[in-house]
Coordinates of all heavy atoms in Angstrom, one line a residue:
D40 N -39.2 -14.5 91.6 CA -38.3 -15.6 92.0 C -37.2 -15.8 91.0 O -36.9 -14.9 90.1 CB -39.2 -16.9 92.1 CG -39.8 -17.4 90.8 OD1 -39.3 -17.0 89.7 OD2 -40.7 -18.2 90.8
S41 N -36.3 -16.8 91.3 CA -35.1 -17.0 90.5 C -35.4 -17.1 89.0 O -34.5 -16.9 88.2 CB -34.3 -18.0 91.1 OG -35.0 -19.2 91.1
S42 N -36.5 -17.6 88.6 CA -36.9 -17.8 87.2 C -37.5 -16.7 86.7 O -37.8 -16.7 85.4 CB -37.9 -19.0 87.1 OG -39.1 -18.7 87.7
G43 N -37.7 -15.6 87.4 CA -38.3 -14.4 86.8 C -39.8 -14.3 86.9 O -40.4 -13.3 86.5
K44 N -40.4 -15.3 87.6 CA -41.8 -15.4 87.7 C -42.2 -14.6 89.0 O -41.6 -14.6 90.1 CB -42.3 -16.8 87.9 CG -43.8 -16.9 88.0 CD -44.3 -18.4 88.1 CE -45.7 -18.6 88.3 NZ -46.1 -20.0 88.4
I45 N -43.4 -13.7 88.9 CA -43.8 -13.0 90.0 C -44.7 -13.8 90.8 O -45.7 -14.6 90.4 CB -44.7 -11.7 89.5 CG1 -43.8 -10.9 88.5 CG2 -45.1 -10.9 90.6 CD1 -44.6 -9.9 87.8
G46 N -44.5 -14.0 92.2 CA -45.4 -14.7 93.0 C -45.5 -14.0 94.3 O -45.2 -12.8 94.5
G47 N -46.1 -14.8 95.3 CA -46.3 -14.2 96.5 C -47.9 -14.2 97.0 O -48.8 -14.6 96.2
F48 N -48.1 -14.0 98.3 CA -49.5 -14.0 98.7 C -50.4 -13.1 97.9 O -51.5 -13.5 97.6 CB -49.5 -13.6 100.2 CG -50.8 -13.4 100.8 CD1 -51.5 -14.6 101.3 CD2 -51.5 -12.2 101.0 CE1 -52.8 -14.5 101.8 CE2 -52.7 -12.1 101.6 CZ -53.4 -13.2 101.9
D49 N -50.0 -11.8 97.7 CA -50.8 -10.9 96.9 C -51.3 -11.5 95.6 O -52.3 -11.3 95.1 CB -50.1 -9.6 96.6 CG -49.9 -8.8 97.9 OD1 -50.8 -8.9 98.8 OD2 -49.0 -7.9 98.0
V50 N -50.2 -12.0 94.9 CA -50.3 -12.5 93.6 C -51.2 -13.7 93.5 O -52.1 -13.8 92.7 CB -49.0 -12.9 92.9 CG1 -49.2 -13.6 91.6 CG2 -48.1 -11.7 92.9
E51 N -51.1 -14.6 94.4 CA -52.0 -15.8 94.5 C -53.5 -15.5 94.8 O -54.4 -16.1 94.3 CB -51.5 -16.9 95.5 CG -50.1 -17.5 95.1 CD -49.8 -18.8 95.8 OE1 -50.8 -19.6 96.0 OE2 -48.6 -19.0 96.1
I52 N -53.6 -14.5 95.8 CA -55.0 -14.0 96.1 C -55.6 -13.4 94.7 O -56.8 -13.7 94.4 CB -54.9 -13.0 97.2 CG1 -54.6 -13.7 98.6 CG2 -56.4 -12.3 97.3 CD1 -55.7 -14.7 99.0
G53 N -54.9 -12.6 94.1 CA -55.4 -12.0 92.8 C -55.8 -12.9 91.8 O -56.8 -12.7 91.2
L54 N -54.9 -13.9 91.6 CA -55.2 -14.9 90.6 C -56.4 -15.7 91.0 O -57.3 -16.2 90.1 CB -54.0 -15.7 90.3 CG -52.8 -15.1 89.6 CD1 -51.6 -16.0 89.5 CD2 -53.2 -14.4 88.3
A55 N -56.6 -16.0 92.2 CA -57.7 -16.8 92.7 C -59.0 -15.9 92.5 O -60.1 -16.6 92.1 CB -57.6 -17.2 94.2
L56 N -59.0 -14.6 92.8 CA -60.1 -13.9 92.4 C -60.4 -13.8 91.0 O -61.6 -13.9 90.6 CB -59.8 -12.5 93.0 CG -59.7 -12.2 94.4 CD1 -59.2 -10.8 94.8 CD2 -60.9 -12.7 95.3
C57 N -59.4 -13.7 90.2 CA -59.6 -13.7 88.7 C -60.3 -15.1 88.3 O -61.2 -15.1 87.6 CB -58.4 -13.5 88.0 SG -57.7 -11.8 88.1
E58 N -59.9 -16.2 88.9 CA -60.4 -17.5 88.5 C -61.8 -17.5 88.9 O -62.7 -18.0 88.2 CB -59.6 -18.6 89.2 CG -60.1 -20.0 88.9 CD -59.2 -21.0 89.5 OE1 -58.1 -20.8 90.0 OE2 -59.7 -22.2 89.4
R59 N -62.1 -17.0 90.1 CA -63.6 -17.0 90.5 C -64.4 -16.1 89.7 O -65.6 -16.4 89.5 CB -63.6 -16.5 92.0 CG -65.0 -16.6 92.6 CD -65.5 -18.0 92.5 NE -64.7 -18.9 92.9 CZ -64.8 -19.5 94.2 NH1 -65.6 -19.3 95.0 NH2 -63.9 -20.5 94.6
M60 N -63.9 -15.0 89.2 CA -64.7 -14.1 88.3 C -64.6 -14.6 86.8 O -65.3 -14.0 85.9 CB -64.1 -12.7 88.3 CG -64.2 -12.1 89.7 SD -63.7 -10.2 89.7 CE -62.0 -10.3 89.1
K61 N -63.9 -15.7 86.6 CA -63.9 -16.4 85.2 C -63.2 -15.3 84.3 O -63.7 -15.2 83.2 CB -65.2 -16.9 84.7 CG -65.8 -18.0 85.7 CD -67.0 -18.5 85.1 CE -67.5 -19.7 85.8 NZ -67.4 -19.7 87.3
I62 N -62.2 -14.7 84.7 CA -61.4 -13.7 83.9 C -60.1 -14.1 83.9 O -59.4 -14.3 84.8 CB -61.6 -12.2 84.4 CG1 -63.1 -11.9 84.4 CG2 -60.8 -11.3 83.6 CD1 -63.4 -10.4 85.1
E63 N -59.4 -14.0 82.6 CA -58.0 -14.3 82.6 C -57.2 -13.1 83.0 O -57.6 -12.0 82.7 CB -57.6 -14.7 81.1 CG -56.1 -15.1 80.9 CD -55.8 -15.3 79.5 OE1 -56.7 -15.3 78.6 OE2 -54.6 -15.5 79.2

Side-chain angles (χ1 to χ4, degrees):
D40 67 19
S41 57
S42 68
K44 183 179 179 181
I45 305 172
F48 175 79
D49 289 332
V50 173
E51 292 197 38
I52 290 293
L54 292 176
L56 294 174
C57 289
E58 183 177 350
R59 185 53 52 99
M60 295 188 299
K61 296 181 170 54
I62 297 173
E63 184 181 357

